Amino acid sequence: PVLKHDIELPASVPELLLEKHANFLLSYGTDKDEYMYCMTEHMRMSGMYWGLTALDLMGKLEQTNRNEVLEFIAQCQTESGGIAASLQHDPHILYTLSAVQILCIYNALDTIDIEKVVKYVKERQQPDGSFTGDIWGEVDMRFSFCAVATLSLLNRLDVIDVDKAVEFVMKCMNFDGGFGSKPGAESHAGMIYCSIGLLSITGNLHLVDADQLSWWLCERQLPSGGLNGRPEKLPDVCYSWWVLSALTILGRLHWVNKEQLVKFVLACQDTESGGFSDRPGDIADPFHTLFGLTALSLLNTDYPLKKINPTYCMPEYVIQRLHLKPARLD
Ligand SMILES: COc1ccc(S(=O)(=O)N2Cc3cc(C#N)ccc3N(Cc3cncn3C)C[C@H]2Cc2ccccc2)cc1
Ligand SMILES: [Zn+2]
């Protein structure tokens, strides 16, 4: 049988339904006994980061309950200094980054004990330069990005061995120019974003072959206009982020077909509930809603969206307010 690796786009796609997306995010998971509220508890801090960043891009941050969010984050910081996804959960570097990102967007870093966060992240680094996600010891190159992004947002990169961190990331580079989660692991667009993001923050973009890597990234675009994360996979709107942000940092965003990709992204909107799903016709969620909007922001469409910073996946004005200048190739 012929394997289907792409989808058919509908003949016409809706315009950007900004108000519907804002309402979708503002009401998502508010009903405490609603199914999604319970199912997403294990990643609540990240879910809040996805929703708040998307709302800020749409200029709706003032419609959120800032004090309630800050109170929740303060309560999620644990004795270790690390921050958990939800109350009574264990701390993890993924949610520590999400919490710090939210606090930077709200300009409220004094909500938590910064010194203890810095100590928690520093303790994650291993002798080979890699990072564990929490005290249970799982190593993944995603956690290297989380550690470096978190510490750079706090202006405390001095506490880790940056050269060893970069050394580990480069061990994850494959012959196809891509990056995997560990040395020898298959190239994946999400891991390429994490490695290029870390190299952008630490000023080491000269270590990658920008042309070969950008070529692999552009190969992700399918006839439907959508992008997938690996060869032979279906397109998915969240890969728009992993691929476009890396291409932007590498200075080769113009290598993708912008018109076709914009059409694919608009087709992923749920015209009933609001929000974006991974592919046309699936259920919308905050994760894909953020990445649908960041794609339109990176692609310089005429829609009224704030600029997204490709390295931190945070609004550009926030990165400028922190006086951060992540490197990118021109
Ligand atoms: C299908 O139900 C799920 C499955 C997994 C997860 S997860 O492990 O927490 N996570 C985050 C995530 C959040 C949402 C939302 N809201 C939806 C999906 C999704 N995926 C799964 C996914 C995305 N594209 C296709 N797939 C199958 C990525 C995953 C891993 C990830 C975490 C952090 C940052 C980047 C990636 C959550 C829900
Ligand atoms: Zn996805």
Side-chain angles (χ1 to χ4, degrees):
V2 174
L3 289 174
K4 213 165 144 41
H5 290 313
D6 200 2
I7 57 158
E8 296 282 322
L9 281 193
S12 69
V13 297
E15 270 310 298
L16 184 59
L17 308 163
L18 277 179
E19 289 310 313
K20 271 191 172 285
H21 301 325
N23 294 331
F24 172 76
L25 292 169
L26 287 164
S27 60
Y28 198 87
T30 46
D31 177 352
K32 294 246 184 311
D33 51 22
E34 190 189 87
Y35 173 77
M36 280 322 273
Y37 184 81
C38 309
M39 281 304 286
T40 55
E41 184 177 298
H42 75 280
M43 60 174 183
R44 169 125 318 112
M45 193 62 76
S46 292
M48 284 166 52
Y49 153 68
W50 300 322
L52 291 170
T53 305
L55 284 164
D56 195 5
L57 291 181
M58 294 189 281
K60 306 281 185 185
L61 194 66
E62 76 283 345
Q63 289 185 35
T64 64
N65 190 331
R66 185 179 189 276
N67 290 339
E68 186 181 314
V69 172
L70 298 187
E71 177 61 32
F72 175 77
I73 294 175
Q75 290 169 347
C76 287
Q77 185 168 26
T78 62
E79 254 319 289
S80 67
I83 300 174
S86 209
L87 304 179
Q88 320 303 333
H89 283 236
D90 291 335
H92 193 284
I93 201 155
L94 286 170
Y95 310 118
T96 301
L97 172 58
S98 293
V100 167
Q101 288 173 306
I102 295 170
L103 294 176
C104 289
I105 290 172
Y106 275 134
N107 200 12
L109 277 172
D110 54 359
T111 304
I112 51 172
D113 183 331
I114 301 288
E115 274 320 306
K116 285 181 76 175
V117 167
V118 169
K119 173 176 167 290
Y120 178 80
V121 176
K122 175 185 168 59
E123 285 165 357
R124 304 274 65 76
Q125 190 165 33
Q126 304 303 298
D128 67 358
S130 66
F131 285 81
T132 56
D134 58 17
I135 58 173
W136 304 113
E138 182 200 1
V139 165
D140 185 309
M141 205 257 287
R142 274 187 303 157
F143 306 148
S144 299
F145 172 74
C146 292
V148 166
T150 301
L151 290 175
S152 63
L153 288 168
L154 301 176
N155 199 21
R156 294 299 307 275
L157 268 178
D158 56 289
V159 304
I160 57 167
D161 187 332
V162 172
D163 292 342
K164 288 293 276 181
V166 171
E167 199 181 297
F168 177 78
V169 167
M170 293 318 291
K171 278 189 200 143
C172 301
M173 188 162 81
N174 294 318
F175 57 88
D176 58 8
F179 289 79
S181 60
K182 292 183 195 54
E186 182 191 15
S187 293
H188 181 289
M191 296 302 151
I192 290 172
Y193 164 72
C194 290
S195 52
I196 297 302
L198 186 146
L199 296 175
S200 163
I201 292 169
T202 61
N204 287 289
L205 287 170
H206 58 279
L207 295 177
V208 301
D209 178 339
D211 279 327
Q212 187 193 24
L213 180 49
S214 300
W215 181 80
W216 189 91
L217 289 167
C218 292
E219 282 293 285
R220 300 299 113 249
Q221 188 162 33
L222 300 167
S224 65
L227 301 172
N228 63 15
R230 279 180 290 168
E232 321 296 315
K233 288 286 186 183
L234 281 170
D236 175 335
V237 82
C238 71
Y239 288 119
S240 307
W241 170 257
W242 313 122
V243 172
L244 291 187
S245 55
L247 280 172
T248 304
I249 294 166
L250 294 169
R252 288 159 172 81
L253 179 59
H254 53 285
W255 287 17
V256 296
N257 182 313
K258 166 179 172 175
E259 288 69 30
Q260 281 185 349
L261 179 52
V262 169
K263 194 161 176 276
F264 175 85
V265 171
L266 292 173
C268 293
Q269 297 176 92
D270 184 319
T271 54
E272 289 301 303
S273 66
F276 288 75
S277 56
D278 56 354
R279 274 182 285 282
D282 285 356
I283 303 278
D285 62 48
F287 183 85
H288 290 96
T289 301
L290 170 62
F291 294 125
L293 294 171
T294 55
L296 299 175
S297 174
L298 283 176
L299 290 169
N300 269 317
T301 57
D302 296 336
Y303 295 117
L305 294 170
K306 292 181 185 175
K307 278 268 143 281
I308 188 81
N309 177 273
T311 301
Y312 289 94
C313 194
M314 292 162 67
E316 189 63 51
Y317 81 93
V318 175
I319 300 305
Q320 288 178 11
R321 184 167 64 195
L322 292 165
H323 305 110
L324 287 168
K325 291 180 190 57
R328 62 169 90 171
L329 302 176
D330 41 38

